[in-house]
Amino acid sequence: MLFWRGGPGTPSPLLLLLLLAAWKTGSGQVHYSVLEEAKHGTFVGRIAQDLGLELAELVPRLFRVASKGHGDLLEVNLQNGILFVNSRIDREELCGRSLECSIHLEVIVNKPLQVFHVEVEVKDINDNPPVFPESKKRIIIAESRPPETRFPLDGASDADIGVNSALTYRVDPNEYFALDTQNNREQTSSLSLVLRKSLDREQIQEHNLVLTATDGGKPELTGTVQLLITILDVNDNAPEFDQYIYKVTVLENAFNGTLVIKLNATDLDDGTNGDIIYSFRRPVSPAVLYAFIINPNSGEIRTRGKLDFEEKKLYEIPVEATDKGNIPMAGHCTVFVEILDINDNTPEITITSLSLPVREDAQVGTVIALISVSDRDSGVNGQVTCSLTPRVPFKLVSTFKNYYSL
Ligand SMILES: [Ca+2]
Ligand SMILES: [Ca+2]
Ligand SMILES: [Ca+2]
Ligand SMILES: [Ca+2]
């Protein structure tokens, strides 16, 4: 590649400050250095002078510069013999992560033919921020993981070299997670998130953290990745009833299928870990089993057989709510069902003793019969009053509660 065009005039003093001095090697080679991304026209070196050529002889001797594969990155002004930056030099594009980076120039003059070799070292500037493989990283952690558990993280990469690519990491201050980095700069796999305290999905289901990588350049550049941490549920909560004891009443003549109570238990866990099945706690008494049925899904207890206050006045039903977790957990309560009496029994009359026939001269007050009455109902439903057909020569005398004599 030939460089014949004339360059711009004298470089500014400011740019000169940035540049390093040129020197000659014993073999006649000349070295310069230039910062990558230097502006067009930036002074690199007095190439003609450093090669021992007179400015006046540059054109007559067909002074030309060739640079294999590096195009017109650098150019020489034939008026003043100065090598300057012509187009954008990107060290990362030229040399990648290689620590050494230079542009080799071949300077040729005729009459007599001479060839000079010039090395222009391209110096790194911190022009690349650390870059993470993804902008968002999803991490799923079961809430049961103990503190000190480590979760590996992918580190960032930085296209620069040296301190410009030496990365340090930090994560948002957070009570649950800390960052652990090994001091080996290139070993990104040593980066991990460490659990500091026990998790609880029932309190916080998702943690959102920002992981930041900072390089060692001046000024430093940073890159970030969002860590979206989802906490997976573990079955660590048992179903709980609203109350430990429920008291309800049912009329003894309630129809088959009458709703006695709708129980409600809650489970703080997620999905099947929080799905509840209701049942009578085993062993279930035959009396309960005979009289009631429980809906496993709704928690409704309904009557099934015929209730009879006179048979059983109070049922004690232990109930269990079990979740569908892998290792199920259960909660308990007891339902007391009081059966209310209905006046469904007629009084019964029993004659316990009878002296018949009665003599016509029997004295007034002679006991003819002992009668007892009973009613299986309770309260007023069971209170019996006895009376006799009017206008007969007999009298009913109450001797004791529900006992009479005639
Ligand atoms: Ca960098
Ligand atoms: Ca760079
Ligand atoms: Ca549960
Ligand atoms: Ca849970």
Side-chain angles (χ1 to χ4, degrees):
M1 187 63 60
L2 297 176
F3 293 76
W4 284 115
R5 278 183 289 144
T10 329
S12 75
L14 182 73
L15 285 173
L16 284 170
L17 282 176
L18 293 170
L19 301 167
L20 297 173
W23 70 92
K24 278 186 180 181
T25 63
S27 64
Q29 271 200 10
V30 173
H31 287 258
Y32 300 115
S33 68
V34 63
L35 293 177
E36 62 164 326
E37 309 289 351
K39 270 196 261 178
H40 171 80
T42 300
F43 173 90
V44 179
R46 297 185 184 282
I47 190 166
Q49 191 184 330
D50 294 333
L51 292 174
L53 299 166
E54 296 296 329
L55 290 180
E57 60 178 347
L58 298 184
V59 176
R61 291 188 68 186
L62 297 176
F63 177 98
R64 56 200 187 273
V65 178
S67 167
K68 208 170 156 192
H70 291 151
D72 54 355
L73 298 176
L74 299 166
E75 221 175 285
V76 176
N77 179 330
L78 293 180
Q79 264 74 54
N80 57 20
I82 286 173
L83 182 68
F84 64 93
V85 173
N86 183 50
S87 61
R88 178 174 171 243
I89 303 171
D90 181 8
R91 192 206 64 80
E92 285 72 41
E93 193 187 312
L94 279 177
C95 307
R97 309 266 0 243
S98 162
L99 289 176
E100 305 281 310
C101 189
S102 56
I103 299 170
H104 182 85
L105 301 177
E106 220 172 52
V107 178
I108 304 156
V109 286
N110 288 353
K111 297 182 270 178
L113 180 69
Q114 275 182 294
V115 178
F116 304 92
H117 295 280
V118 176
E119 288 288 317
V120 180
E121 186 193 354
V122 178
K123 299 232 171 203
D124 185 41
I125 64 162
N126 191 23
D127 59 341
N128 287 283
V131 177
F132 283 95
E134 303 162 288
S135 62
K136 282 180 186 174
K137 168 86 175 159
R138 291 205 168 272
I139 302 171
I140 297 174
I141 302 175
E143 62 173 323
S144 57
R145 297 303 291 272
E148 301 303 316
T149 305
R150 304 168 83 84
F151 306 93
L153 292 174
D154 292 321
S157 58
D158 189 307
D160 298 317
I161 55 169
V163 291
N164 290 339
S165 69
L167 304 182
T168 52
Y169 295 91
R170 66 172 191 276
V171 74
D172 294 342
N174 175 289
E175 59 176 317
Y176 288 96
F177 297 98
L179 203 62
D180 184 64
T181 46
Q182 305 299 321
N183 264 353
N184 192 342
R185 282 171 182 169
E186 298 301 319
Q187 212 175 319
T188 49
S189 61
S190 62
L191 188 66
S192 51
L193 207 55
V194 183
L195 195 57
R196 296 173 66 180
K197 59 182 268 192
S198 295
L199 295 163
D200 185 3
R201 189 208 63 89
E202 283 70 62
Q203 275 197 317
I204 306 174
Q205 294 183 18
E206 213 169 65
H207 296 263
N208 212 326
L209 302 178
V210 175
L211 171 63
T212 305
T214 306
D215 66 25
K218 284 192 174 68
E220 63 188 26
L221 295 173
T222 58
T224 59
V225 57
Q226 238 188 320
L227 304 179
L228 302 171
I229 304 165
T230 305
I231 308 303
L232 270 192
D233 186 42
V234 163
N235 192 20
D236 54 358
N237 288 280
E240 260 182 49
F241 284 98
D242 303 340
Q243 295 167 231
Y244 289 114
I245 288 173
Y246 296 86
K247 287 178 178 165
V248 285
T249 53
V250 183
L251 291 172
E252 62 171 325
N253 68 340
F255 287 116
N256 198 351
T258 299
L259 180 66
V260 176
I261 189 171
K262 184 181 187 320
L263 294 170
N264 182 49
T266 47
D267 188 312
L268 295 173
D269 295 320
D270 191 32
T272 52
N273 290 338
D275 280 353
I276 294 172
I277 304 169
Y278 299 89
S279 61
F280 294 142
R281 192 167 76 233
R282 274 174 245 281
V284 195
S285 86
V288 167
L289 217 48
Y290 175 79
F292 303 100
I293 188 164
I294 188 164
N295 183 314
N297 301 313
S298 67
E300 287 174 351
I301 295 179
R302 291 178 182 273
T303 58
R304 75 190 298 194
K306 223 182 118 35
L307 298 172
D308 187 359
F309 171 85
E310 288 72 36
E311 283 278 314
K312 195 164 168 62
K313 296 173 176 56
L314 184 73
Y315 291 87
E316 183 182 335
I317 312 176
V319 178
E320 191 170 64
T322 312
D323 65 32
K324 296 180 183 169
N326 243 348
I327 298 169
M329 296 186 84
H332 302 99
C333 75
T334 304
V335 180
F336 289 96
V337 183
E338 191 190 341
I339 308 301
L340 295 182
D341 183 39
I342 287 288
N343 194 13
D344 58 347
N345 287 283
T346 48
E348 282 173 20
I349 299 174
T350 316
I351 297 172
T352 49
S353 152
L354 191 61
S355 323
L356 285 180
V358 183
R359 290 168 57 99
E360 64 173 329
D361 61 348
Q363 284 192 322
V364 171
T366 302
V367 174
I368 297 161
L370 288 175
I371 298 162
S372 79
V373 290
S374 65
D375 190 312
R376 298 183 65 218
D377 297 319
S378 75
V380 290
N381 294 338
Q383 282 173 18
V384 182
T385 48
C386 271
S387 59
L388 208 59
T389 322
R391 287 184 296 279
V392 289
F394 303 105
K395 188 170 82 171
L396 209 53
V397 178
S398 174
T399 57
F400 189 64
K401 186 174 179 275
N402 288 355
Y403 289 90
Y404 299 88
S405 61
L406 202 62

